[in-house]
Amino acid sequence: MLQCFASRQGPRMLAKAGLALTLLSGTAARAFTEEHVIVLIDRSATMLTTRVSGLTRFEEAVSLADNYVRLPNALPRKYAVWTFEGTGYIQEQGFDDEAATRRTLGRLTVGRGATPLAHAVCDAADELLRFEPGVDARKVVYLISDGEENSSPTTSLCYGPRSTTRYPQLEEDSWQWKVRNMLKTGDPLRDSQTDYQLVLDANVFYNYLTLAPRSSTPQLPFLALLEGLSRESGGVYRVVDDSRPLPYPGDADLNGCVDMTDFYFVLGYYGMNVPPAPPQADINQDRRVDLTDYNIVLNNLGSGCGPAHLEPHPGGP
């Protein structure tokens, strides 16, 4: 119904219709009153890799995090910022607002060590569960990394050998199994069939030579793990190819271009909660595809695109 309306009347009229739908549906269907997010950024040595933009992965990771923090949201958010390398992590900022978080992101520096990913993710999850437990908040680990776990200390909650089996069939007591348990139950040693207590948004920088295979090759176990954990926990999984520009806000299919494909994708799930709508349609990740998501796509339409992607919307202004 909305798609037909958009084709005839164009984005401005649809925005008004979207507002009406938002007012009718409101936020009563949402279970949460806040969101608590730990922005968890890899600062290991490989994050010094230079991307096609001429910037390092770490510099682009900071930009990606800044874009995320700046997105408008229906629910109030509190952010903490952690970075990790070597055998540990740094709590760069405790939970605070958008302005403080952006200042913190602007002063981060890269390190020279390895990647204690399991240690950082598990402790971030533990911190989120302990923060304001009486508040009905959605808890999110917003991870940005470029490499697999290789240096968590033996004292870590999620220290363990590498699983010899592939996700979702993870070997008991492996670090992958413990990370999944921590996100799901808050206990690295307790598996459960219940829903996840925490959400993992995983953003992975890579290139085809060192980490990610071509599409004709089965996905590497590490990437399959992060994609599976993101999907099952209700988060978003993004791969950021070094040969492509940083994803623009509104680029739902992550092809480097905010175009009509993204517009119609968001439009197709307009007014729906997540789930059943896919997380990719929820641009600002507040668990509902609404006018805010629509406007983010509309305001960034054409970003990163060539002329072939900029055909006007039928009936548009």
Side-chain angles (χ1 to χ4, degrees), residues 26 59 99 103 108 207 211 243 264 297 301:
E59 290 171 318
R103 289 194 296 271
L108 297 182
N207 62 55
L211 181 58
S243 66
Y264 282 117
V297 176
L301 202 61

Side-chain angles (χ1 to χ4, degrees), residues 226-282:
L226 292 186
E227 181 176 13
L229 293 179
S230 298
R231 182 182 64 251
E232 287 195 1
S233 66
V236 175
Y237 171 73
R238 299 178 184 85
V239 288
V240 187
D241 183 347
D242 284 334
S243 66
R244 294 177 178 268
L246 204 64
Y248 293 92
D251 182 13
D253 60 3
L254 300 179
N255 69 347
C257 165
V258 185
D259 57 14
M260 297 311 298
T261 300
D262 304 299
F263 178 90
Y264 282 117
F265 181 73
V266 171
L267 188 61
Y269 294 99
Y270 194 92
M272 295 176 62
N273 289 332
V274 179
Q280 292 83 356
D282 178 21

Side-chain angles (χ1 to χ4, degrees), residues 36 38 82 89 91 95 119-135 137 139-141 157 182 185-187 197-198:
H36 301 159
I38 291 185
W82 294 18
Y89 54 83
Q91 296 180 332
F95 288 96
H119 180 40
V121 171
C122 280
D123 278 24
D126 187 55
E127 180 74 8
L128 280 163
L129 290 173
R130 289 190 292 109
F131 178 68
E132 295 187 353
V135 176
K139 307 283 188 172
V140 181
V141 178
L157 290 171
M182 193 68 191
T185 68
D187 181 347
Q197 291 191 48
L198 299 106

Side-chain angles (χ1 to χ4, degrees), residues 117-118 121-122 125 158 163 165-200 224-226 228-233:
L117 185 142
V121 171
C122 280
C158 289
S163 177
T165 53
R166 183 184 176 93
Y167 179 88
Q169 304 300 322
L170 298 175
E171 197 167 30
E172 187 172 339
D173 290 328
S174 65
W175 71 262
Q176 296 97 324
W177 181 79
K178 291 180 179 180
V179 166
R180 180 174 65 182
N181 292 347
M182 193 68 191
L183 293 169
K184 181 175 283 190
T185 68
D187 181 347
L189 300 180
R190 181 168 66 89
D191 197 356
S192 172
Q193 298 303 312
T194 61
D195 292 337
Y196 281 70
Q197 291 191 48
L198 299 106
V199 175
L200 177 68
L225 172 73
L226 292 186
L229 293 179
S230 298
R231 182 182 64 251
E232 287 195 1
S233 66

Side-chain angles (χ1 to χ4, degrees), residues 25-36:
S25 58
T27 59
R30 303 185 190 184
F32 303 114
T33 59
E34 291 185 10
E35 284 195 358
H36 301 159

Side-chain angles (χ1 to χ4, degrees), residues 199-217:
V199 175
L200 177 68
D201 288 331
N203 304 268
V204 185
F205 285 91
Y206 72 95
N207 62 55
Y208 284 119
L209 295 178
T210 61
L211 181 58
R214 296 289 184 181
S215 58
S216 60
T217 306

Side-chain angles (χ1 to χ4, degrees), residues 35 37-43 47 51 55-73 77-84 92-93 96-109 140-145 201-205 238 240 246-249 283-285:
E35 284 195 358
V37 182
I38 291 185
V39 178
L40 185 60
I41 302 178
D42 185 347
R43 61 189 299 265
M47 292 292 281
R51 290 175 27 83
L55 300 176
T56 65
R57 289 175 177 173
F58 186 78
E59 290 171 318
E60 297 268 57
V62 171
S63 294
L64 188 64
D66 188 72
N67 287 342
Y68 170 74
V69 170
R70 288 190 297 113
L71 286 175
N73 292 280
R77 274 180 173 167
K78 296 177 182 177
Y79 304 92
V81 179
W82 294 18
T83 60
F84 61 97
E92 307 279 1
Q93 173 194 295
D96 212 326
D97 61 15
E98 174 188 335
T101 302
R102 294 189 66 195
R103 289 194 296 271
T104 297
L105 291 171
R107 64 172 175 77
L108 297 182
T109 58
V140 181
V141 178
Y142 186 82
L143 172 69
I144 309 175
S145 181
D201 288 331
N203 304 268
V204 185
F205 285 91
R238 299 178 184 85
V240 187
L246 204 64
Y248 293 92
I283 304 300
N284 69 340
Q285 296 171 241

